[in-house]
Amino acid sequence: MSTRRGLPGLSNPEEHLRRLAADLSDKFAGIFNQETVERYVLESYTGLLRTATVTAHLATNTVHFATDRLTALAQAKGALDHSVPEVLFVCEQNAGRSQMAAVLTQALSGGAVHVRSAGSAPARELSSTVVEAMAEIGLNLDEAFPKPLTDDVVQAADVVITMGCGDACPIYPGKRYQDWELVDPAGQPIEVVREIRDQIASHVEGMLSGLGVTPKART
C-alpha cells in the first residue's frame, strides 16, 4: 500500500495499514480485490485522522470504520445479504443526536434492525453530556466515535434518518428518508439533553413500528 510518508496518528502507520488491508482482503475475498480494500482502509484512516484529538484508539476505529464501509458496499452491490432492515442516522457532528438514535435503536429493536450513524461534519469527540444522559438509562457509547458520512453507507441503508445535516446526504431511489427535527445537544445542559434523548426514543419507537418491529419496553 502506498501512503504519505510520515502519516501521523500511529507509530508506524504504513505497516499498520498494510496489515489491516491484508486482513480485510482475506475477509472480503471473492467480493473485493486487494486494491479496493487498500483504498477503503486508507480513506477510512485519513477520514478519521482529520478530526481525531486522541490517536490511541485510531487503529481500532479504523478497523471498525473500514470494515463497516466495505460491508455496506458489499450489501449495496448485492454481494452480501442483509436479513434485517438497515437504518442510517445522520446529523452534523455525529457526536450527539445520531449516536443516541443508533444506540437506542439497537437496544429497543433487540437486534432486529442493523444501525449505522455518520456526520456531515463530524466532531472530534462525543458530547460528554450525551454520554452521561445515555448512561443514566443503562446504555453506553464506549465503542461509538464520530465518523464522516460516506456514500457506501447511504447506498446500503433501507431507511435514512437525517437530523439537521442540511443537504449533505445524497438521495437514492428506493430509500425511505425521514427528517427528525431535534435540538442539537451540543453545549446544552444535561436537563435539555435528557429531553432530547427521550424525544429520540419516541421517534425510534415509531420508526420501529413502521418497520414491523415491536419496540422493547424502555427501562
Side-chain angles (χ1 to χ4, degrees):
M1 176 184 299
S2 175
T3 63
R4 296 192 311 270
R5 184 175 182 180
L7 199 62
L10 295 168
S11 58
N12 192 339
E14 289 82 1
E15 180 180 349
H16 167 76
L17 296 177
R18 193 177 297 112
R19 288 199 309 268
L20 174 55
D23 291 343
L24 289 185
S25 291
D26 291 340
K27 181 174 182 177
F28 290 97
I31 301 176
F32 300 120
N33 59 35
Q34 185 175 352
E35 289 75 17
T36 298
V37 174
E38 289 182 350
R39 176 168 57 85
Y40 265 69
V41 169
L42 179 57
E43 287 179 357
S44 299
Y45 174 76
T46 54
L48 295 177
L49 185 62
R50 290 189 186 100
T51 56
T53 53
V54 179
T55 58
H57 305 295
L58 187 56
T60 300
N61 290 348
T62 298
V63 173
H64 291 318
F65 190 32
T67 301
D68 196 43
R69 291 184 61 203
L70 286 164
T71 300
L73 182 62
Q75 290 173 336
K77 291 180 175 296
L80 284 180
D81 293 331
H82 60 275
S83 57
V84 298
E86 298 281 340
V87 178
L88 171 65
F89 293 101
V90 184
C91 68
E92 183 177 3
Q93 296 187 323
N94 194 216
R97 290 167 292 186
S98 57
Q99 295 284 5
M100 285 194 285
V103 173
L104 283 163
T105 299
Q106 187 173 358
L108 294 175
S109 72
V113 171
H114 185 260
V115 188
R116 293 183 174 96
S117 70
S120 56
R124 296 184 178 277
E125 58 188 1
L126 298 184
S127 164
S128 59
T129 51
V130 164
V131 173
E132 179 183 351
M134 296 300 285
E136 290 176 348
I137 59 172
L139 298 176
N140 71 68
L141 296 172
D142 291 347
E143 296 184 1
F145 57 94
K147 64 195 79 66
L149 177 65
T150 56
D151 192 64
D152 35 67
V153 296
V154 181
Q155 291 188 60
D158 298 305
V159 181
V160 180
I161 309 292
T162 58
M163 307 171 178
C165 59
D167 298 325
C169 192
I171 304 297
Y172 287 98
K175 311 293 181 188
R176 186 186 306 179
Y177 290 86
Q178 299 177 21
D179 185 66
W180 294 354
E181 294 187 7
L182 298 161
V183 174
D184 188 345
Q188 299 287 351
I190 186 63
E191 294 80 12
V192 174
V193 176
R194 289 180 184 129
E195 293 177 2
I196 298 169
R197 176 200 65 197
D198 294 342
Q199 290 171 358
I200 292 173
S202 296
H203 280 300
V204 167
E205 289 169 337
M207 179 199 65
L208 291 176
S209 297
L211 292 172
V213 175
T214 301
K216 293 184 174 296
R218 281 191 254 170
T219 57

